[in-house]
Amino acid sequence: MLHRPFLSIVFIAQALYGVLGQSPPSHLPPMEPGVFKAHGEVLIDAPIQHVWDILLDFPSYPDWNPFVRSQVVADANFVPLADQTPHENLRLIIDVQIPPLHGPVDASTPGNPLNAQRSLENITHLDNEHYAAAWGGIEFPDEFLKAERWSVLSTFNGKTFYESEEVYYGLGAVIVKELFEEGLNEGFQAQAEALKNRAEIAV
Ligand SMILES: *[C@@H]1O[C@H](CO)[C@@H](O)[C@H](O)[C@H]1NC(C)=O
């Protein structure tokens, strides 16, 4: 029975590797490195379609999202639309808190006016079949500031892996990095965790 302890150690090591060592593979599209990036991710114990529905239900963002307090689908003149279903080439009026609010939020949670930022964006990609979407700012010329926020879902070990990433390019990104790199990363991660809470509670 001399080999028993050795086999047990191998078994435990394998089990630990399975639990701790494996991180889900990324499904984000390849992106050129920019000046900096913001990133958030989380593994969610809920069906992928359920998480996707929450992610695209922008009118409900104020009820749960500590970073994006409001995201409104609009036409090319930034006039909000009655039908809030997102489609490529529609615009978004996005109000964020940088850094994000702390703790659980609902629609009545007040923002900090000093941390409020509005961004006018365009929905550049929306692939419901592959659970991938992106939107990016259109207020500045690309040469000055270009950034597109990707959000993708994939299935991993029976769970849903949410990743969101925005790479910032251009001279303007140097300024955005100075002011907001840390707060944006906190915001992306806070949204990821709040999405997990909402999806796991309301399956
Ligand atoms: C918005 O995104 C769509 C889809 O990628 C693209 O065809 C369109 O040119 C973009 N519009 C603007 C104003 O950037």
Side-chain angles (χ1 to χ4, degrees):
M1 287 295 142
L2 269 177
H3 59 282
R4 276 293 290 278
F6 174 70
L7 282 180
S8 313
I9 287 163
V10 169
F11 179 78
I12 289 165
Q14 280 173 346
L16 271 178
Y17 179 75
V19 175
L20 304 172
Q22 253 179 311
S23 58
S26 177
H27 285 70
L28 288 164
M31 289 179 250
E32 296 288 319
V35 175
F36 79 104
K37 71 179 178 185
H39 180 93
E41 63 178 55
V42 74
L43 202 52
I44 301 173
D45 194 0
I48 192 165
Q49 187 62 46
H50 178 64
V51 179
W52 188 243
D53 291 344
I54 294 173
L55 202 61
L56 292 192
D57 178 11
F58 301 151
S60 296
Y61 273 23
D63 297 333
W64 64 271
N65 196 322
F67 171 52
V68 184
R69 297 300 292 137
S70 166
Q71 181 151 314
V72 176
V73 178
D75 69 13
N77 297 316
F78 289 98
V79 176
L81 295 171
D83 181 356
Q84 284 290 300
T85 312
H87 293 288
E88 277 181 13
N89 204 21
L90 286 177
R91 307 294 183 267
L92 292 171
I93 304 162
I94 302 176
D95 287 303
V96 293
Q97 285 275 304
I98 311 173
L101 300 177
H102 288 292
V105 296
D106 61 32
S108 67
T109 310
N112 179 343
L114 297 175
N115 295 337
Q117 298 285 335
R118 170 164 288 190
S119 180
L120 302 179
E121 307 208 352
N122 178 38
I123 302 177
T124 49
H125 300 271
L126 188 55
D127 184 345
N128 286 302
E129 199 181 325
H130 297 100
Y131 304 104
W135 37 84
I138 55 169
E139 291 162 278
F140 301 101
D142 280 1
E143 304 74 46
F144 179 67
L145 178 63
K146 185 165 163 280
E148 202 178 25
R149 180 178 186 180
W150 279 91
S151 299
V152 301
L153 301 181
S154 54
T155 302
F156 181 75
N157 282 351
K159 297 185 176 176
T160 299
F161 185 45
Y162 162 79
E163 302 164 88
S164 187
E165 187 162 295
E166 183 155 4
V167 183
Y168 295 78
Y169 305 91
L171 196 55
V174 178
I175 302 162
V176 178
K177 177 180 161 74
E178 268 321 300
L179 295 173
F180 298 122
E181 181 178 24
E182 200 181 326
L184 280 167
N185 275 285
E186 278 177 42
F188 276 49
Q189 194 55 36
Q191 175 171 344
E193 277 150 31
L195 175 67
K196 174 184 172 74
N197 288 339
R198 188 166 175 87
E200 290 182 353
I201 288 163
V203 176

